[in-house]
Amino acid sequence: MLKIGIVGGTGYTGVELLRILSQHPEVNIEAITSRKEAGMDVAQLFPSLRGRIELKFSDPAEANLEKCDVVFFATPNGIAMKQVPSLLDAGVRIIDLAADFRIKDIAVWEKWYGMPHACPELVAEAVYGLPEINRDRIKTARLIANPGCYPTAVQLGFLPLVESGAADLDHLVADAKSGVSGAGRNAEIHTLFAEAADNFKAYGVSGHRHLPEIRQGLSQAAKHPVGLTFVPHLTPMIRGIHATLYVKLLKEVDLQALYENRYVNEPFVDVLPAGSHPETRSVRGSNLCRIAVHRPQGGDTAVILSVTDNLVKGAAGQAVQNMNLMFGLPETLAITHLPLFP
Amino acid sequence: MLKIGIVGGTGYTGVELLRILSQHPEVNIEAITSRKEAGMDVAQLFPSLRGRIELKFSDPAEANLEKCDVVFFATPNGIAMKQVPSLLDAGVRIIDLAADFRIKDIAVWEKWYGMPHACPELVAEAVYGLPEINRDRIKTARLIANPGCYPTAVQLGFLPLVESGAADLDHLVADAKSGVSGAGRNAEIHTLFAEAADNFKAYGVSGHRHLPEIRQGLSQAAKHPVGLTFVPHLTPMIRGIHATLYVKLLKEVDLQALYENRYVNEPFVDVLPAGSHPETRSVRGSNLCRIAVHRPQGGDTAVILSVTDNLVKGAAGQAVQNMNLMFGLPETLAITHLPLFP
Amino acid sequence: MLKIGIVGGTGYTGVELLRILSQHPEVNIEAITSRKEAGMDVAQLFPSLRGRIELKFSDPAEANLEKCDVVFFATPNGIAMKQVPSLLDAGVRIIDLAADFRIKDIAVWEKWYGMPHACPELVAEAVYGLPEINRDRIKTARLIANPGCYPTAVQLGFLPLVESGAADLDHLVADAKSGVSGAGRNAEIHTLFAEAADNFKAYGVSGHRHLPEIRQGLSQAAKHPVGLTFVPHLTPMIRGIHATLYVKLLKEVDLQALYENRYVNEPFVDVLPAGSHPETRSVRGSNLCRIAVHRPQGGDTAVILSVTDNLVKGAAGQAVQNMNLMFGLPETLAITHLPLFP
Amino acid sequence: MLKIGIVGGTGYTGVELLRILSQHPEVNIEAITSRKEAGMDVAQLFPSLRGRIELKFSDPAEANLEKCDVVFFATPNGIAMKQVPSLLDAGVRIIDLAADFRIKDIAVWEKWYGMPHACPELVAEAVYGLPEINRDRIKTARLIANPGCYPTAVQLGFLPLVESGAADLDHLVADAKSGVSGAGRNAEIHTLFAEAADNFKAYGVSGHRHLPEIRQGLSQAAKHPVGLTFVPHLTPMIRGIHATLYVKLLKEVDLQALYENRYVNEPFVDVLPAGSHPETRSVRGSNLCRIAVHRPQGGDTAVILSVTDNLVKGAAGQAVQNMNLMFGLPETLAITHLPLFP
């Protein structure tokens, strides 16, 4: 049994890790830390776990994380980079669900995240945990940078086309919509029910932190810098991301075949039949990404629709997928939950 | 492996049965019928099941249900009673999720459901499938009347008190609130999103079909006819029932101990600590009923709060719990999903 | 033109006062104060008001409120009682939307609100601003205690019965459901969209501050102390209160006639035809209270359904109704908005 | 007082016309027709109107519409075109909220709407009722084709840029999101609460009827055929449209000044300050269109955000704006409602 530690367990990615890992047959959760809630029963904060999780939140200083096989960081940005070096030295493998190790260019990271990086030397070693690109490298990695929620849905949607050579890489457009849980479990006015319900808005149009992450991933896949306009929106639902992607085509391509072939062996990417419109609820609570490709009116613009659950394939589920790969377990183990529908 | 048939698979209880049974290790789904959608892939109607359910809907006439070990009816009221007799003759055991076999008094049933009963002789044999009352009889039953969604949450909430002799049985009040999926997957105006969202209303105050069902169950438990005022409400959420129950106490009773003792061995009833307020989302997608007891201001009125997921413990999950009991499987097998939270 | 001041304009009752008063033909809003947002354009905080409100938030110390004819307090509890005495001395009339002057028994108030009262001598003078009870006294009042949201819906629902002598006054039950805006515009986790959406729960069952307010009002109306069980619930909608009231009848009474007669001259109370179920959306954005009366199964328990918009008849609309009465304006002036439907 | 007739009053645009017109000081509603609900009180179907609308639905055959000054058609597509000719002959002016007269090219209309046109000769005469383009022609029109909901938000967002000569007109992208009321008050499964809540999806990507309408309008404004990719989405809110528009810029342009100048005299178009993100709730229940312009990362792609209430500026409010213009009334009369917020 793998010994698991979770740092920062009081947010939505933390409770989702608990939901998944407490049903995983090959792990024991040794510790889940929270500075603020240390000593409280986890099931008191998250009553959905009553009767299934006996743990209390530990004080980070007393959690003995160095005895774990793997530690998940479900913390705000900037925390993991301070604690990861000593844990790696102790032989612990790391999956960081925050952004600390996602961006290879340290200057870019520091600009977008507004702080100096605490361990730039580890950024180069970190493997970006998108199995559909980096599966082999993930298996042997010590340190995984788990992708952001938008970047997962957007990159999986764009990948076959940017790899194909058929896309105008200078004018990619990603119009993305997220459920409100993407903003985290933080007391803020703009995500109150009375503010976010029955309402729709864009945000961060001038620049969102997931822009450089997506641009880095697509540029690597294309082997060429891409130009991307990325507009995130807040939609009144709890979970789910819907990315609508617009690509100008430079030459003829069989979109349906391109996508089906690219993902034929992927257990968590489902290419829908031609003409489909994936719904976010069709992946709610599951680790799936469902994709449909369109070419409206036979024109030169491809429209790709890509949906995920931001807390599963966009966070905790993908983290467990990475863990399974790192420890030689079946890749899909314990992340085959069916979507909750309706 | 048990051979399973499902009659009427295009509603919400049908797809919920599929979600649960397709992850159940001891069953094979042999057929799922729909007169209207015969020939269509199940996963086309319910994209949440893509890649996991290969079945097509069968025409009811060609489904060979008599070869099944057990057949679930997830049909409108009045269908099962016509087909059950011949299936029972063929040795098939039956779990009816509709109301055909719930009310023992045929005249009462015919009044509330507005039709003559097709097989009154089987009503006496049918076992009301609430394991917390009838576990032993369920194990040997041929025919299970699976309880309604409101009756499950309301009866589990009232049971310890009506059994205790401490309650004024003449003036029970059940103020119940249901998510909109309780109204079924039917094209009707009053359950449209634009009608039911951002809105709250009572309905059926003059009389709802679940009233005689609850009254029958509580009267049996109390060994005395009870007087019940039952007011259902529609609340803008997809799943969940919250029952708020008011009971005038006739003598001193330790409510917390009473409830904890009554349910100490029940795998799916969770009595919360004193002072708690259960949330419907704490059981979303799970087979649990969570209950909290209160005695406001130390007065003579007890307030019981009881929550369930109307599609799981209130329908499909409880049906599988009954199936597990009927076939000697572990009672909790394949219905231990953790709630989806948030 | 009346000169209006608003203290504490950054909450939901504040913005609702602005929506109503900015369309009122007989008033000028002289100042709206906010310590925190002083200097900011009101329309920047509330973009719904862009182009219609030119004001900036004023620092409370510089607002010259003593030059106003009437000042509304849309502040947290405990603020108005400190500022009201000097404003009254300056000849300003006051409408307090908070709870500072609602409870006549100072000891009760101090117990429920957890602080000493700053001006107990003014509590006796204050008029409880429910026009359906106190219309004449409101006209001449200097100081109005505007009722709470739950107390408005619950009292209007109970009033005819408690006045009638036909009710068992010892066992009144009020099961009330509120939209999330009732919790105010405060950054708190439990009212986040991802916490409150697709969820239903009771809260404050052991005791809610509106309990003594309702009990006081009903006891005065009944001329006898009443026994009340009051259970508030949070429902996933923005606006609206639905109160479901249970009353044991002690003698025969024509409920429909009783209610219609009691409210025949009330411009904002609408008694629905027998058999109706009022919806909260039928009053959304309006100053109406709609009520329906039932006597299920002809038994001895009356069920009263009462709906309001918690921010209008439950707060800002009723405050303007009181202002109209105080200044001899037509009672319905500027509060005749039709509900927004759907 | 203008004599008003409404044909087809049982849908959402019908009830919204009633909400607006019943508060309009210069009109009398003479008749509102419904074949299905003839004889029923309007306020029984729409309880929000109780006490304010005394009308009953009339049978269309008996409504004497030819005595009206103006008749609104709030009917499904294909109805108005059959009745309009005789009403025009009787001297009645017409505002059609459906699509019958919106597309000038009859062949295009017949292809997208799947039926032959009943009075093609009137299509040329009809004036497209977008006052921001056609104000003068509307004033004298006999027959108004009231724009669709998406076309209003999308055209107002694109207009300044397509008129400017600075846009790449071949690759316009409109990613539009609508609340569920846009689908109308029709009993259909896909718009049930349990289907549409907590869910997000695109639809009609291969081609939506509003595509040719938008393309016609933009091509006229640009004096050049435009290439447009239009992707509508369904978002779980009742009212509101959010259009996110992507335009490749061909030359330098001061976007903020361009938009402010274009709309400086428009009473219902509000250009927000640079850097803004309009929310749909900031126009909920109002006739406003709010627009913000962005140029992310200083690149060559402009992003325009445009929000409206689909039932007001996208339907009934705009229809009344047209009526005001046609009859020489102040353009804003009775459509100055402030948005309901929150």
Side-chain angles (χ1 to χ4, degrees):
Chain A
M1 302 286 275
L2 293 177
K3 292 179 193 158
I4 304 285
I6 300 174
V7 181
T10 61
Y12 292 140
T13 53
V15 65
E16 191 68 351
L17 277 172
L18 290 171
R19 181 176 76 97
I20 295 171
L21 290 172
S22 67
Q23 301 180 92
H24 193 297
E26 299 288 340
V27 311
N28 269 328
I29 305 173
E30 301 287 315
I32 174 162
T33 74
S34 165
R35 202 172 307 273
K36 200 169 139 202
E37 308 294 357
M40 180 192 276
D41 279 339
V42 168
Q44 185 179 341
L45 192 67
F46 297 124
S48 60
L49 300 172
R50 265 181 61 87
R52 297 290 284 280
I53 294 267
E54 303 293 320
L55 283 171
K56 291 180 190 299
F57 289 108
S58 311
D59 187 278
E62 302 167 6
N64 282 330
L65 296 171
E66 64 277 7
K67 297 188 180 169
C68 291
D69 295 300
V70 58
V71 167
F72 294 86
F73 280 86
T75 43
N77 299 316
I79 305 292
M81 65 184 181
K82 294 179 187 156
Q83 303 181 25
V84 161
S86 63
L87 288 170
L88 286 178
D89 286 348
V92 180
R93 296 167 85 177
I94 303 291
I95 300 173
D96 178 24
L97 285 81
D100 294 12
F101 300 97
R102 292 180 191 158
I103 306 284
K104 295 298 181 187
D105 185 324
I106 303 295
V108 169
W109 190 89
E110 293 184 340
K111 174 189 150 203
W112 284 90
Y113 288 89
M115 54 183 123
H117 202 288
C119 56
E121 67 285 359
L122 288 175
V123 173
E125 177 187 344
V127 175
Y128 189 69
L130 197 59
E132 291 78 7
I133 296 183
N134 286 332
R135 182 168 285 109
D136 286 340
R137 295 183 56 217
I138 290 165
K139 291 177 182 172
T140 58
R142 289 199 306 164
L143 170 56
I144 294 290
N146 210 58
C149 52
Y150 285 124
T152 297
V154 172
Q155 289 179 86
L156 291 176
F158 273 131
L159 264 184
L161 260 173
V162 303
E163 292 170 349
S164 74
D168 174 358
L169 298 176
D170 294 334
H171 293 96
L172 303 174
V173 170
D175 188 291
K177 302 85 176 173
S178 174
V180 186
S181 67
R185 191 171 165 274
N186 306 305
E188 291 178 5
I189 284 180
H190 77 287
T191 48
L192 291 178
F193 183 92
E195 302 283 315
D198 210 48
N199 189 33
F200 191 91
K201 65 172 178 182
Y203 65 101
V205 177
S206 62
H208 183 285
R209 288 168 171 181
H210 285 171
L211 173 64
E213 181 181 341
I214 300 169
R215 205 157 46 188
Q216 170 184 280
L218 296 180
S219 296
Q220 288 173 354
K223 300 182 175 120
H224 185 279
V226 304
L228 172 67
T229 301
F230 169 59
V231 178
H233 302 74
L234 197 65
T235 187
M237 62 187 182
I238 297 176
R239 291 167 174 245
I241 283 183
H242 186 291
T244 312
L245 311 176
Y246 299 89
V247 183
K248 189 175 161 189
L249 299 174
L250 300 177
K251 57 184 182 188
E252 271 309 309
V253 58
D254 179 338
L255 285 173
Q256 187 70 26
L258 177 71
Y259 276 70
E260 289 184 357
N261 292 337
R262 174 62 176 83
Y263 291 127
V264 63
N265 291 319
E266 286 300 337
F268 294 115
V269 182
D270 177 26
V271 179
L272 300 184
S276 298
H277 299 95
E279 305 182 85
T280 57
R281 65 182 182 142
S282 78
V283 298
R284 184 196 291 139
S286 85
N287 199 48
L288 292 161
C289 175
R290 301 200 202 264
I291 295 176
V293 297
H294 290 262
R295 192 165 166 180
Q297 311 287 306
D300 66 357
T301 301
V303 177
I304 316 298
L305 312 174
S306 170
V307 298
T308 58
D309 184 319
N310 55 303
L311 295 179
V312 192
K313 184 63 175 168
Q318 184 144 270
V320 175
Q321 186 180 356
N322 282 319
M323 182 197 76
N324 287 340
L325 288 168
M326 291 165 83
F327 290 92
L329 300 169
E331 183 171 348
T332 63
L333 190 63
I335 39 177
T336 56
H337 316 74
L338 280 169
L340 196 66
F341 184 99
Chain B
M1 301 288 275
L2 294 177
K3 294 178 191 159
I4 304 286
I6 300 173
V7 180
T10 62
Y12 293 140
T13 52
V15 65
E16 191 68 351
L17 277 172
L18 290 170
R19 181 176 74 97
I20 295 171
L21 291 171
S22 67
Q23 300 180 92
H24 193 296
E26 299 289 340
V27 311
N28 269 328
I29 305 172
E30 301 288 315
I32 173 162
T33 74
S34 164
R35 201 172 309 273
K36 199 169 140 202
E37 309 294 358
M40 179 193 279
D41 281 337
V42 169
Q44 184 178 342
L45 193 66
F46 297 124
S48 59
L49 301 172
R50 265 181 60 87
R52 297 290 285 278
I53 294 268
E54 303 293 319
L55 284 170
K56 291 179 191 298
F57 290 107
S58 310
D59 188 279
E62 301 166 7
N64 283 329
L65 295 173
E66 64 278 5
K67 297 188 179 169
C68 291
D69 296 298
V70 58
V71 167
F72 295 86
F73 281 85
T75 42
N77 299 316
I79 306 294
M81 64 184 181
K82 293 178 185 156
Q83 303 181 26
V84 161
S86 63
L87 287 170
L88 286 178
D89 287 349
V92 181
R93 296 167 86 177
I94 303 292
I95 299 172
D96 178 26
L97 285 80
D100 294 12
F101 299 98
R102 292 180 191 158
I103 307 283
K104 295 298 180 187
D105 184 325
I106 303 296
V108 169
W109 189 89
E110 293 186 338
K111 175 190 149 200
W112 285 89
Y113 289 88
M115 54 183 121
H117 202 289
C119 56
E121 68 285 1
L122 287 175
V123 173
E125 176 187 346
V127 175
Y128 189 69
L130 196 59
E132 291 78 6
I133 295 183
N134 286 332
R135 182 168 284 109
D136 285 340
R137 297 183 54 216
I138 290 166
K139 291 176 181 172
T140 58
R142 290 199 306 166
L143 171 56
I144 295 290
N146 210 58
C149 52
Y150 285 125
T152 297
V154 172
Q155 289 179 85
L156 290 177
F158 272 131
L159 264 185
L161 259 174
V162 302
E163 292 170 349
S164 74
D168 174 359
L169 297 176
D170 293 334
H171 293 97
L172 302 174
V173 169
D175 188 291
K177 303 86 176 173
S178 175
V180 186
S181 67
R185 190 170 166 276
N186 306 305
E188 291 178 4
I189 283 179
H190 77 287
T191 48
L192 291 178
F193 183 92
E195 302 283 314
D198 209 46
N199 189 32
F200 191 91
K201 66 172 178 182
Y203 65 101
V205 177
S206 62
H208 183 284
R209 288 167 171 182
H210 286 172
L211 172 65
E213 181 181 342
I214 299 169
R215 206 158 44 188
Q216 168 183 281
L218 295 180
S219 297
Q220 288 173 354
K223 303 188 172 109
H224 185 279
V226 304
L228 172 67
T229 301
F230 168 60
V231 178
H233 302 76
L234 198 65
T235 187
M237 61 187 183
I238 297 176
R239 291 167 175 243
I241 282 183
H242 186 292
T244 312
L245 312 177
Y246 300 88
V247 183
K248 187 176 160 190
L249 299 176
L250 300 178
K251 58 183 181 189
E252 272 307 311
V253 58
D254 180 339
L255 286 173
Q256 187 70 24
L258 177 72
Y259 276 70
E260 289 184 357
N261 291 338
R262 175 62 176 83
Y263 290 127
V264 63
N265 291 319
E266 286 300 336
F268 294 115
V269 182
D270 177 25
V271 179
L272 300 185
S276 299
H277 299 96
E279 305 182 86
T280 57
R281 65 181 181 141
S282 77
V283 299
R284 184 197 289 138
S286 84
N287 199 49
L288 291 161
C289 175
R290 300 200 203 262
I291 294 177
V293 297
H294 291 261
R295 192 165 165 180
Q297 312 287 306
D300 66 356
T301 302
V303 177
I304 316 298
L305 312 173
S306 169
V307 299
T308 57
D309 183 320
N310 56 302
L311 295 178
V312 192
K313 184 62 177 168
Q318 184 145 269
V320 175
Q321 186 180 356
N322 283 318
M323 181 197 78
N324 286 341
L325 288 169
M326 291 165 83
F327 290 91
L329 300 170
E331 183 171 347
T332 64
L333 191 61
I335 40 178
T336 56
H337 315 75
L338 280 171
L340 198 66
F341 184 98
Chain C
M1 301 287 276
L2 294 176
K3 293 178 193 161
I4 304 285
I6 300 173
V7 180
T10 62
Y12 293 141
T13 52
V15 65
E16 191 69 351
L17 276 172
L18 290 171
R19 180 175 76 96
I20 296 171
L21 291 172
S22 67
Q23 300 180 93
H24 193 296
E26 298 290 339
V27 311
N28 269 329
I29 304 173
E30 301 288 315
I32 174 162
T33 73
S34 164
R35 202 173 306 273
K36 200 168 139 203
E37 308 294 359
M40 178 192 277
D41 280 339
V42 168
Q44 185 178 343
L45 193 67
F46 296 124
S48 59
L49 301 172
R50 265 181 62 86
R52 297 289 284 279
I53 295 266
E54 303 293 320
L55 282 171
K56 291 180 191 297
F57 289 108
S58 310
D59 187 280
E62 301 168 6
N64 283 330
L65 295 172
E66 65 277 7
K67 297 190 180 168
C68 291
D69 295 299
V70 57
V71 168
F72 295 86
F73 280 85
T75 44
N77 299 316
I79 306 293
M81 64 183 179
K82 293 178 187 158
Q83 303 181 25
V84 160
S86 64
L87 287 169
L88 286 178
D89 286 348
V92 182
R93 295 167 86 177
I94 303 291
I95 299 172
D96 178 25
L97 284 80
D100 295 12
F101 300 98
R102 291 179 191 158
I103 307 284
K104 294 297 180 188
D105 185 324
I106 303 295
V108 169
W109 190 89
E110 294 185 338
K111 175 190 148 200
W112 285 89
Y113 288 89
M115 54 183 122
H117 202 289
C119 55
E121 68 285 0
L122 287 175
V123 172
E125 176 186 345
V127 175
Y128 190 69
L130 196 59
E132 291 78 6
I133 296 183
N134 286 332
R135 181 168 284 109
D136 286 340
R137 296 182 55 216
I138 291 164
K139 290 177 182 172
T140 57
R142 291 197 305 164
L143 170 56
I144 295 290
N146 210 57
C149 52
Y150 284 124
T152 297
V154 172
Q155 289 179 85
L156 291 177
F158 273 130
L159 264 184
L161 259 173
V162 302
E163 292 170 349
S164 74
D168 174 359
L169 298 176
D170 293 335
H171 294 96
L172 303 174
V173 170
D175 188 291
K177 301 86 175 172
S178 175
V180 186
S181 67
R185 191 170 166 275
N186 306 303
E188 292 178 4
I189 283 179
H190 77 286
T191 48
L192 291 178
F193 183 92
E195 303 283 314
D198 210 45
N199 189 32
F200 191 91
K201 66 172 178 183
Y203 66 101
V205 177
S206 62
H208 183 285
R209 288 168 171 181
H210 286 171
L211 171 64
E213 181 180 342
I214 299 168
R215 206 157 45 188
Q216 169 183 280
L218 295 180
S219 297
Q220 287 173 354
K223 302 189 173 106
H224 185 279
V226 304
L228 172 68
T229 301
F230 168 60
V231 178
H233 303 75
L234 197 65
T235 188
M237 61 186 183
I238 298 176
R239 290 167 175 245
I241 282 183
H242 186 292
T244 312
L245 311 177
Y246 300 88
V247 183
K248 188 175 161 191
L249 299 175
L250 300 179
K251 57 183 183 187
E252 272 308 310
V253 58
D254 180 339
L255 285 173
Q256 187 69 26
L258 177 71
Y259 276 71
E260 290 184 356
N261 291 338
R262 174 62 176 82
Y263 291 127
V264 63
N265 291 319
E266 287 300 336
F268 294 114
V269 182
D270 177 26
V271 179
L272 300 185
S276 298
H277 299 95
E279 304 183 86
T280 57
R281 65 181 183 142
S282 77
V283 298
R284 185 196 290 138
S286 85
N287 200 48
L288 292 161
C289 175
R290 300 200 202 263
I291 294 176
V293 296
H294 291 261
R295 191 164 166 182
Q297 311 288 307
D300 65 357
T301 302
V303 177
I304 315 299
L305 312 173
S306 170
V307 299
T308 57
D309 184 320
N310 55 302
L311 296 179
V312 192
K313 184 61 175 169
Q318 184 145 271
V320 175
Q321 186 179 355
N322 283 318
M323 181 197 76
N324 286 342
L325 288 169
M326 291 164 83
F327 291 91
L329 300 169
E331 183 171 348
T332 63
L333 190 63
I335 38 178
T336 56
H337 316 75
L338 280 170
L340 197 66
F341 184 99
Chain D
M1 301 288 277
L2 292 176
K3 292 178 193 160
I4 304 285
I6 300 174
V7 180
T10 62
Y12 293 140
T13 53
V15 65
E16 191 68 351
L17 276 172
L18 289 171
R19 180 176 75 97
I20 295 170
L21 291 171
S22 66
Q23 300 179 94
H24 193 296
E26 299 288 339
V27 311
N28 269 329
I29 305 173
E30 301 288 315
I32 173 162
T33 74
S34 164
R35 201 172 309 273
K36 199 169 140 203
E37 309 295 358
M40 179 192 279
D41 280 337
V42 168
Q44 185 178 343
L45 193 66
F46 297 124
S48 59
L49 301 172
R50 265 181 62 86
R52 298 289 285 277
I53 294 266
E54 304 293 318
L55 282 170
K56 291 179 191 299
F57 289 107
S58 309
D59 187 279
E62 301 167 7
N64 283 330
L65 295 172
E66 64 279 5
K67 298 189 178 169
C68 292
D69 296 298
V70 58
V71 167
F72 294 86
F73 281 85
T75 43
N77 299 316
I79 305 293
M81 64 184 181
K82 293 177 186 155
Q83 303 182 27
V84 160
S86 64
L87 287 170
L88 286 178
D89 286 349
V92 181
R93 296 166 85 176
I94 303 290
I95 299 173
D96 178 25
L97 284 80
D100 294 12
F101 300 97
R102 292 180 190 157
I103 306 284
K104 295 298 181 187
D105 185 324
I106 302 295
V108 169
W109 189 90
E110 294 185 338
K111 174 190 149 201
W112 284 89
Y113 288 89
M115 54 182 122
H117 203 289
C119 56
E121 68 286 0
L122 287 176
V123 172
E125 176 187 345
V127 175
Y128 189 69
L130 196 60
E132 292 77 8
I133 296 183
N134 285 332
R135 181 168 283 109
D136 285 341
R137 297 182 55 218
I138 291 164
K139 291 178 182 171
T140 57
R142 292 197 305 166
L143 170 56
I144 294 290
N146 210 59
C149 52
Y150 284 126
T152 297
V154 172
Q155 289 178 86
L156 291 176
F158 272 131
L159 263 184
L161 260 173
V162 303
E163 292 170 349
S164 74
D168 174 359
L169 297 175
D170 294 334
H171 293 96
L172 302 174
V173 169
D175 187 290
K177 301 87 176 171
S178 174
V180 186
S181 67
R185 189 171 166 276
N186 307 304
E188 290 179 4
I189 283 179
H190 77 288
T191 48
L192 291 179
F193 183 93
E195 302 283 315
D198 210 47
N199 190 33
F200 191 91
K201 66 172 177 183
Y203 65 101
V205 178
S206 62
H208 183 284
R209 288 167 171 182
H210 286 171
L211 172 65
E213 180 180 342
I214 299 168
R215 206 157 46 190
Q216 169 183 281
L218 295 180
S219 296
Q220 288 174 354
K223 302 188 173 107
H224 185 279
V226 304
L228 172 68
T229 301
F230 168 60
V231 177
H233 302 75
L234 197 65
T235 187
M237 62 187 182
I238 298 176
R239 291 167 174 244
I241 282 182
H242 185 292
T244 312
L245 311 177
Y246 300 88
V247 182
K248 189 176 160 188
L249 299 175
L250 300 177
K251 58 183 182 189
E252 271 308 309
V253 58
D254 178 340
L255 286 173
Q256 187 69 26
L258 178 72
Y259 276 71
E260 289 183 358
N261 292 337
R262 175 61 176 84
Y263 291 127
V264 62
N265 291 320
E266 285 300 337
F268 293 114
V269 182
D270 176 26
V271 179
L272 300 185
S276 298
H277 299 95
E279 305 182 84
T280 57
R281 65 180 181 144
S282 77
V283 299
R284 184 196 290 138
S286 85
N287 200 48
L288 291 160
C289 175
R290 300 200 202 263
I291 295 177
V293 297
H294 291 261
R295 192 165 166 181
Q297 311 287 306
D300 66 356
T301 301
V303 177
I304 316 297
L305 312 173
S306 169
V307 299
T308 57
D309 183 319
N310 56 301
L311 296 178
V312 191
K313 184 63 176 168
Q318 185 145 267
V320 175
Q321 186 180 357
N322 282 318
M323 181 197 77
N324 286 340
L325 288 168
M326 292 164 84
F327 290 92
L329 300 169
E331 184 171 347
T332 63
L333 191 62
I335 39 177
T336 56
H337 315 74
L338 279 170
L340 197 66
F341 184 99

